[in-house]
Amino acid sequence: MLKAVILIGGPQKGTRFRPLSLDTPKPLFPIAGVPLIQHHIKACTKLKNCKEILIIGSYTTNVMSQFISDMQKEFHVILRYLQEFSPLGTGGSLYHFRDQIRAGSPSAFFLLNGDVCADFPLEELWKFHAEKQNALVTIMGTEATRQQSVHYGCMVCEPSTKAVNHYVEKPNSYVSTLINCGVYVCSLQVFHTMAETFVKKQNGFYSSNGHGVDPGYMSWEQDVLTPLAGTGKLYAMQVTSWWSQVKTAGSAIYANRHYLELQSSPPATTKCQILPDVFIHPSASVDSTAVIGPNVSIGAGVIIKGGVRIKESIVLNNAIINEHALVMHSVVGQDASVGEWSRVEGTPTDPDPNKPFAKMDNMPLFSTEGRLNPSITILGAGVVVPAEKILLNSIVLPHKHLGRSFKHEIIL
Ligand code: GDD
Ligand code: GTP
């Protein structure tokens, strides 16, 4: 039997995803029509032997309960949400819930960061791990550019065995272009190693003033993976398939494109002209003269009127796009409305297509000179864009009623 653990953090995380994460927790943000971590759950349920999925985070249970019961209905698997009382870090949260993970003695468990997206090759990863005799952890790795690699966990491997000899989390200078994808398979014995680290950290905690961190805080990467490197118990399986982090709103559009491509099922509606790939929720109402796609997801209850053009965008539940409006490289929040003949446009932030292995840049909102970095346009929930306005590379916080056009601004 196998299990899976998905780490989703809590409301303090996902700051770069604002304002989209102000009303929907980032792990539940819809990508290709379903919450981000539903893609993880689906990948886990494809494995016959995966009997339980544990989602660990510090969001309150009432934020997660609807999603958990929806998932239990959709996938016939035991699924539970375990809430941390305070953020314990990637390692601390895992260690805190070790008894739940070990219950039923699974042969191993998958560990997935909730903020990555990929065509998760879990079967392959499990096979690779099972073949390595002493492996405690196998990391799914991928190639990055030399310049971008330092924003990830970097690994140096023994070429013949794929044992990780050296692991550095977000190094200050170049270490390796083989990076950690935040997807792992772990043997239960890893908890013995974690127990030793935990005791050492606790001793350190009580001999200092604690530095304001929870005594249970542990970083999976720094406190577990780094010391495991070079012991013959840590391995990396390199993949070449699509993988990305979801950190910024721009990366949601990028992830949307790839998940739509993987699903490759055309929307049930052919009410309007569709340029694939597109997801349209069955309850959305779309005028026959609208043109939608490529890379568009339309949520439940959305109304799209005549002559509308939408591409490279996500339109969330119950939004209204009025006659002849254009939406491009943007996210339109829940219940927002775009007036007739208005233009809502952002700048794509995709990885550089000319650089092999380039990843999303995940730029902060502002440059070091204090300027807004060009990115997708975001309309927060309930925003109203009146008729005949232009909104370019802007971020509008929820519930604003705009009175004029805006370019390169954050509307607070
Ligand atoms: N439950 C819980 N508690 N989850 C947490 C906590 C916590 O205290 N802290 C972080 N997480 C979750 C986040 O929500 C995210 O899904 C995942 O753990 C990774 O956390 P980050 O701290 O945001 O790390 P990162 O994304 O910058 O880097 C990690 O992922 C990269 C790949 O995406 C590292 O593992 C890197 O080495 C790796 O390259
Ligand atoms: P991710 O996209 O999930 O990586 O979120 P992020 O980039 O916003 O997280 P990052 O770790 O870069 O932290 C962003 C801000 O949140 C920083 O100001 C951190 O100090 C703060 N922060 C991160 N983790 C915690 C936490 O556990 N508790 C509190 N109070 N603040 C945190």
Side-chain angles (χ1 to χ4, degrees):
M1 189 252 291
L2 294 165
K3 289 196 184 189
V5 176
I6 306 172
L7 294 180
I8 61 165
Q12 298 88 346
K13 301 284 291 175
T15 51
R16 280 173 285 173
F17 206 65
R18 287 178 189 165
L20 296 175
S21 52
L22 290 179
D23 36 35
T24 310
K26 183 171 101 172
L28 302 186
F29 185 82
I31 309 269
V34 303
L36 173 60
I37 58 168
Q38 186 168 332
H39 296 284
H40 298 60
I41 295 171
K42 195 172 164 195
C44 296
T45 55
K46 277 191 191 153
L47 295 167
K48 258 192 254 112
N49 226 358
C50 184
K51 299 288 183 207
E52 185 174 49
I53 301 172
L54 300 167
I55 299 171
I56 307 182
S58 53
Y59 293 98
T60 56
T61 37
N62 56 353
V63 169
M64 297 299 295
S65 60
Q66 184 62 48
F67 172 74
I68 297 293
S69 74
D70 290 349
M71 291 302 98
Q72 278 162 342
K73 272 182 226 145
E74 177 144 2
F75 302 101
H76 301 283
V77 64
I78 305 169
L79 195 97
R80 286 192 290 153
Y81 176 59
L82 305 172
Q83 188 193 342
E84 286 157 84
F85 49 92
S86 71
L88 297 173
T90 41
S93 52
L94 200 64
Y95 188 69
H96 183 74
F97 291 111
R98 61 195 178 280
D99 288 341
Q100 272 90 335
I101 300 169
R102 288 191 292 212
S105 309
S107 336
F109 65 95
F110 294 99
L111 175 63
L112 313 172
N113 284 1
D115 64 355
V116 298
C117 48
D119 186 9
F120 300 102
L122 299 182
E123 189 85 62
E124 232 179 301
L125 199 62
W126 164 232
K127 240 170 130 187
F128 178 101
H129 183 79
E131 279 165 11
K132 308 284 176 197
Q133 263 181 1
N134 298 319
L136 286 189
V137 178
T138 297
I139 307 175
M140 172 172 140
T142 194
E143 182 89 16
T145 62
R146 211 181 147 95
Q147 196 192 12
Q148 289 180 326
S149 62
V150 295
H151 303 306
Y152 300 88
C154 295
M155 325 180 249
V156 180
C157 274
E158 180 68 46
S160 55
T161 61
K162 308 293 177 204
V164 177
N165 286 335
H166 197 48
Y167 182 95
V168 194
E169 181 63 17
K170 301 183 186 122
N172 289 325
S173 58
Y174 172 74
V175 170
S176 159
T177 53
L178 180 62
I179 61 159
N180 170 6
C181 294
V183 177
Y184 318 83
V185 56
C186 314
S187 299
L188 288 192
Q189 291 85 329
V190 76
F191 289 119
H192 297 311
T193 311
M194 291 180 89
E196 287 163 21
T197 310
F198 186 75
V199 171
K200 265 192 230 150
K201 284 191 75 95
Q202 295 275 303
N203 294 342
F205 180 83
Y206 289 105
S207 58
S208 68
N209 64 5
H211 303 293
V213 200
D214 191 286
Y217 187 90
M218 208 192 306
S219 156
W220 167 252
E221 296 83 359
Q222 275 146 325
D223 298 322
V224 183
L225 299 184
T226 299
L228 269 184
T231 62
K233 295 174 183 167
L234 183 66
Y235 288 84
M237 186 188 92
Q238 189 170 345
V239 301
T240 50
S241 50
W242 165 69
W243 171 87
S244 176
Q245 288 184 317
V246 181
K247 293 290 187 191
T248 57
S251 54
I253 304 271
Y254 176 67
N256 196 62
R257 175 174 331 126
H258 286 277
Y259 273 137
L260 285 176
E261 228 171 77
L262 289 179
Q263 287 173 2
S264 69
S265 50
T269 172
T270 45
K271 284 182 265 186
C272 66
Q273 189 185 338
I274 286 177
L275 310 172
D277 295 314
V278 168
F279 166 84
I280 299 179
H281 193 275
S283 65
S285 139
V286 184
D287 189 274
S288 61
T289 58
V291 181
I292 299 184
N295 185 21
V296 173
S297 285
I298 307 281
V302 168
I303 300 173
I304 295 175
K305 302 223 177 132
V308 164
R309 176 75 180 102
I310 306 179
K311 64 189 256 190
E312 301 284 339
S313 297
I314 299 176
V315 182
L316 300 179
N317 295 359
N318 305 316
I320 303 176
I321 317 290
N322 285 295
E323 284 84 359
H324 305 286
L326 173 131
V327 177
M328 229 165 98
H329 303 290
S330 301
V331 175
V332 178
Q334 285 194 30
D335 305 307
S337 88
V338 178
E340 51 206 63
W341 294 103
S342 277
R343 188 180 177 95
V344 174
E345 193 181 335
T347 303
T349 55
D350 284 3
D352 185 345
N354 300 316
K355 276 195 197 155
F357 313 120
K359 307 278 176 280
M360 289 285 305
D361 258 333
N362 294 330
M363 293 216 280
L365 283 182
F366 294 100
S367 66
T368 41
E369 296 85 45
R371 293 228 177 103
L372 189 62
N373 279 322
S375 181
I376 66 160
T377 285
I378 302 169
L379 304 185
V383 164
V384 177
V385 179
E388 298 174 29
K389 297 288 174 281
I390 297 180
L391 205 63
L392 195 67
N393 291 342
S394 295
I395 294 173
V396 189
L397 265 73
H399 308 294
K400 298 282 149 201
H401 289 224
L402 304 184
R404 58 174 175 94
S405 297
F406 289 91
K407 249 194 220 174
H408 311 289
E409 275 190 61
I410 294 190
I411 297 119
L412 296 170

